[in-house]
Amino acid sequence: MEILYTNTRDAQEKVTASQAILNGLAGHGGLYVPMTIPKLDVPVEKLAEMTYQEVAYEVMSRFLTDFTPEELKHCIDSAYDSKFDTKEIAPLVKADGAYYLELFHGATIAFKDMALSILPHLLITAAKKNHVKNEIVILTATSGDTGKAALAGFADVKGTKIIVFYPKNGVSPIQEKQMVTQKGENTSVVGIKGNFDQAQTGVKQMFSDAALAREMDEAGYQFSSANSINIGRLVPQIVYYVYAYAQMYKKGEIGEGEKINVVVPTGNFGNILAAFYAKNMGIPIEKLICASNENKVLYDFFRTGVYDKNREFVLTSSPSMDILISSNLERLIYRIAGENAQANASLMKELSEEGKYTITPGMKEQLKDFYGNYTSEEETAQVIRSVYESCGYVLDTHTAVAAGVYKKYCKETQDTTKTVIASTASPYKFTRSVMNAIDEKYDAMTDFQLINELSKISGVKIPQAIEDIRTAPVLHNRVCEVEAMPDVVKEILKIEK
Ligand SMILES: *Cc1c(COP(=O)(O)O)cnc(C)c1O
C-alpha cells in the first residue's frame, strides 16, 4: 500500500515520502503527515528475533513506500553500523523499577543520533529519486543535541552543506564544544544572541521566504531541514519503540499482547509523537507519558487544553527540553482535529499571532492516551541522586526528568503496567549537572576531572565522543543577532546581498 504525505495546513498538498523528506517543511509553514498510519503486520515473536536493522526495515518500509527495498536497506545499514558503540543499537536496561531504553549509543551520545545518522542517507536517496540538481543546504536550529548529531551525520556528505544555529548562552559547555569543533568543509555553526525558540522561528522563516528561495536556486542551492519536523526524522524514531517492545517480550518481561507504558522526556514533541505512531501501528502501548522540565507548557496543555507559550522561558539543566513551541505537537493537533487542515491552520495562526490557542472539548477527549507532568530542577537532581544510590545507574538530566514524572505518575495512578523510559542522553553529555546532583563536593572540579569521576562512580567507559572533544580545536566562532540569520546564510553560501 502506498503511503502519501499531506500538509497539516493545506489538504490540497499530497506528496510521496521522498518528496516530503526532501522538502522538510510543507507549504504555508505546515508539516507533512502520513495520510494513514500503516499497521505493522509482523507478529511479536518474529520481531523479537530480529536485529535492530531488521526491525528498522520492517517499520520504515511501511512508511517510506517509494523507496525500493535495496535503497532502504542501504540507508539502514549505512546508518546503524559501528558508529554505535553497541550491536544492540538501542539497549534496554532494567533499573529502579523501570526499563531504560538507552538511545544514546551513537556518535554524539544523545538520542538525536537515532534519526540523524540515517537522515542524510534518506535525503541523498530522495534527491536522486526526484532528480534534484541543486546542492542541498541543511538549515537547522538546535537546543544543543540536534546540532551536533546533524553535523556529524552530514559532515562531508557530497551534495550537501549544513548550517546550524544554536542559542549562544543556552546549551551546555560540552554541547557547545562538540559543535564548534566539528570538522568537515561543508559544515557551519553559528551562535545566535537569543534562545532556541528564536533560532527555530528564524529558521522556519527562512524556509518560507520565497525571495530567499529564488536567490538560493539561482546560486544552485535549495534548503532542507534536519529538524524533527522532517518526516525523515520521525519515521526512524518509531523503530526503537517497536524494538523495545519486542525486546521486552524476548526477555520474558511481558507476555504476548501485554501492554506497556512509555515515558518520554519531551521538548519539540518529536520523540513522543514517534511513540504515538508506534501505538497506531499496533504496538500495545497503553499510556504515552509526556515529561517536561520547568518549561511545562505541554503539562499545562494536557491538563487544560490550552496551549500557551506566553510565559517566562526557563534555562534548566535539561537544555534540550527548554522549548516553549513544541513544533511536532502540530501533527497531533491536526490528528485530533479530525485531520482537518483548515481547523489546524487556524489554531496555528492563533499560536503565531497570540502565542496561544485552545482546543475544543471534543479534541481534548482524544488525548486520553497521554499523561503529562513535569519535574522541577530540584526534583531532577533528587532523582539522579536517588537512582544512583539505589542501584548505581547514572541518569542524565533529561532522562531524570522522565524518571521524575514516572514516579509522580505511579503515585497518582497506582498503575503497575511495565514501563519503558526513553533515555535520551548519556550522563557524560551533562556531566556537571549530573555530578553536582550526586554530590556537592564535585562542584569545585573542572569539566574534564568530572568526566573521570563519572567514569569511576558509574563504571561506564568514557564514550569516544567525549574523548574526541578533549583535544579538538575550535573551528567555528561565528555569533550573530537573530535578525541577521538570513544574511549569515548568504554569507556562508557566498550569495551576493
Ligand atoms: C532533543 C532531546 C529531547 C527532546 O526530544 P523531542 O523529540 O524534541 O521532544 C530530550 N532529551 C534529549 C537529550 C534531547 O536531545
Side-chain angles (χ1 to χ4, degrees):
M1 180 179 65
E2 184 175 30
I3 304 284
L4 289 177
Y5 292 76
T6 187
N7 180 341
T8 53
R9 300 190 193 178
D10 177 6
Q12 299 306 315
E13 190 177 351
K14 290 186 185 71
V15 298
T16 61
S18 68
Q19 286 165 339
I21 290 171
L22 209 50
N23 295 348
L25 202 63
H28 313 290
L31 307 181
Y32 290 113
V33 281
M35 296 191 62
T36 47
I37 304 216
K39 289 276 177 270
L40 189 62
D41 45 3
V42 184
V44 66
E45 307 89 73
K46 250 182 125 177
L47 290 169
E49 295 312 317
M50 290 183 191
T51 62
Y52 189 86
Q53 292 81 351
E54 288 165 342
V55 174
Y57 179 77
E58 293 300 330
V59 173
M60 293 177 65
S61 60
R62 303 281 188 299
F63 279 96
L64 309 182
T65 50
D66 69 330
F67 284 65
T68 66
E70 294 70 35
E71 285 170 340
L72 195 53
K73 282 179 183 158
H74 176 73
C75 291
I76 289 168
D77 291 340
S78 309
Y80 305 113
D81 60 7
S82 59
K83 289 190 286 299
F84 286 77
D85 66 11
T86 160
K87 274 209 168 62
E88 292 171 276
I89 307 295
L92 196 62
V93 175
K94 193 173 178 178
D96 198 43
Y99 300 82
Y100 287 89
L101 179 62
E102 294 189 348
L103 303 173
F104 54 76
H105 288 272
T108 76
I109 61 175
F111 100 97
K112 303 291 194 293
D113 290 325
M114 301 304 295
L116 282 164
S117 52
I118 194 166
L119 182 67
H121 303 287
L122 296 174
L123 201 58
I124 291 297
T125 310
K128 274 195 206 124
K129 278 184 156 333
N130 292 281
H131 313 291
V132 169
K133 300 262 171 357
N134 285 334
E135 192 165 355
I136 292 168
V137 178
I138 301 295
L139 213 52
T140 290
T142 184
S143 56
D145 291 330
T146 294
K148 178 61 189 186
L151 288 161
F154 282 94
D156 293 324
V157 171
K158 264 212 178 114
T160 71
K161 282 193 166 44
I162 172 161
I163 305 173
V164 168
F165 291 96
Y166 73 97
K168 179 68 190 153
N169 297 315
V171 300
S172 86
I174 290 179
Q175 287 177 316
E176 181 168 41
K177 189 85 199 285
Q178 278 189 310
M179 287 191 281
V180 297
T181 56
Q182 178 65 46
K183 295 190 196 105
E185 282 296 315
N186 64 338
T187 66
S188 303
V189 179
V190 185
I192 65 148
K193 295 179 188 160
N195 61 35
F196 169 70
D197 286 320
Q198 290 170 300
Q200 179 161 259
T201 304
V203 163
K204 276 193 175 175
Q205 277 168 358
M206 283 189 266
F207 277 125
S208 49
D209 182 337
L212 182 59
R214 250 192 326 275
E215 285 178 77
M216 293 274 296
D217 190 47
E218 279 164 18
Y221 294 116
Q222 70 188 61
F223 286 134
S224 189
S225 163
N227 274 97
S228 60
I229 51 176
N230 193 317
I231 199 79
R233 270 190 63 185
L234 205 51
V235 170
Q237 292 182 173
I238 303 168
V239 173
Y240 46 75
Y241 292 107
V242 176
Y243 182 72
Y245 188 81
Q247 290 301 307
M248 294 275 285
Y249 177 80
K250 185 176 185 174
K251 292 175 193 214
E253 301 290 345
I254 51 171
E256 199 186 326
E258 187 174 335
K259 289 193 169 168
I260 62 166
N261 295 328
V262 168
V263 191
V264 186
T266 296
N268 229 350
F269 210 76
N271 201 359
I272 192 163
L273 188 75
F276 177 68
Y277 282 181
K279 180 180 164 94
N280 281 276
M281 284 189 97
I283 299 300
I285 295 174
E286 178 74 35
K287 280 279 184 234
L288 297 147
I289 301 174
C290 176
S292 299
N293 65 21
E294 289 183 7
N295 294 295
K296 56 182 182 59
V297 62
L298 286 167
Y299 163 66
D300 293 336
F301 169 71
F302 283 117
R303 217 171 28 119
T304 63
V306 180
Y307 192 94
D308 186 357
K309 74 158 184 103
N310 301 310
R311 61 180 73 207
E312 201 191 331
F313 181 86
V314 189
L315 286 176
T316 72
S317 59
S318 44
S320 303
M321 299 161 66
D322 288 346
I323 289 175
L324 293 180
I325 305 174
S326 298
S327 300
N328 272 297
L329 184 67
E330 176 169 348
R331 290 185 160 115
L332 182 64
I333 297 295
Y334 170 81
R335 171 73 174 260
I336 61 175
E339 313 208 318
N340 181 333
Q342 224 172 354
N344 173 66
S346 82
L347 290 175
M348 294 306 133
K349 187 157 175 270
E350 285 175 42
L351 180 64
S352 80
E353 285 170 3
E354 285 139 51
K356 67 188 266 191
Y357 60 80
T358 305
I359 59 170
T360 64
M363 288 167 75
K364 189 160 183 292
E365 205 25 53
Q366 296 174 65
L367 294 177
K368 278 203 209 112
D369 294 341
F370 287 87
Y371 167 92
N373 213 325
Y374 75 103
T375 307
S376 71
E377 284 293 276
E378 201 184 318
E379 289 164 339
T380 303
Q382 274 166 11
V383 168
I384 293 172
R385 194 179 327 117
S386 76
V387 173
Y388 172 67
E389 281 168 1
S390 85
C391 61
Y393 189 60
V394 181
L395 302 178
D396 101 286
T397 45
H398 303 74
T399 309
V401 166
V405 163
Y406 179 52
K407 282 194 165 67
K408 289 184 185 177
Y409 171 81
C410 289
K411 205 165 161 195
E412 222 171 88
T413 63
Q414 310 293 317
D415 184 4
T416 56
T417 305
K418 303 259 169 58
T419 296
V420 169
I421 298 179
S423 180
T424 51
S426 158
Y428 280 102
K429 201 153 190 176
F430 303 94
T431 319
R432 180 162 300 278
S433 306
V434 167
M435 295 303 277
N436 278 349
I438 289 174
D439 195 326
E440 281 172 9
K441 77 178 181 201
Y442 294 118
D443 206 25
M445 293 187 187
T446 66
D447 286 345
F448 286 118
Q449 282 172 328
L450 287 175
I451 286 165
N452 292 334
E453 287 299 313
L454 174 53
S455 176
K456 263 187 236 163
I457 66 158
S458 65
V460 175
K461 194 168 154 271
I462 299 174
Q464 192 58 41
I466 295 293
E467 296 286 8
D468 286 349
I469 58 165
R470 285 198 194 225
T471 51
V474 171
L475 301 173
H476 307 268
N477 51 21
R478 220 186 275 257
V479 178
C480 78
E481 302 289 343
V482 176
E483 300 72 34
M485 289 168 63
D487 287 339
V488 168
V489 167
K490 288 192 214 172
E491 205 178 292
I492 289 167
L493 301 175
K494 305 195 173 66
I495 296 175
E496 296 290 318
K497 270 180 234 167

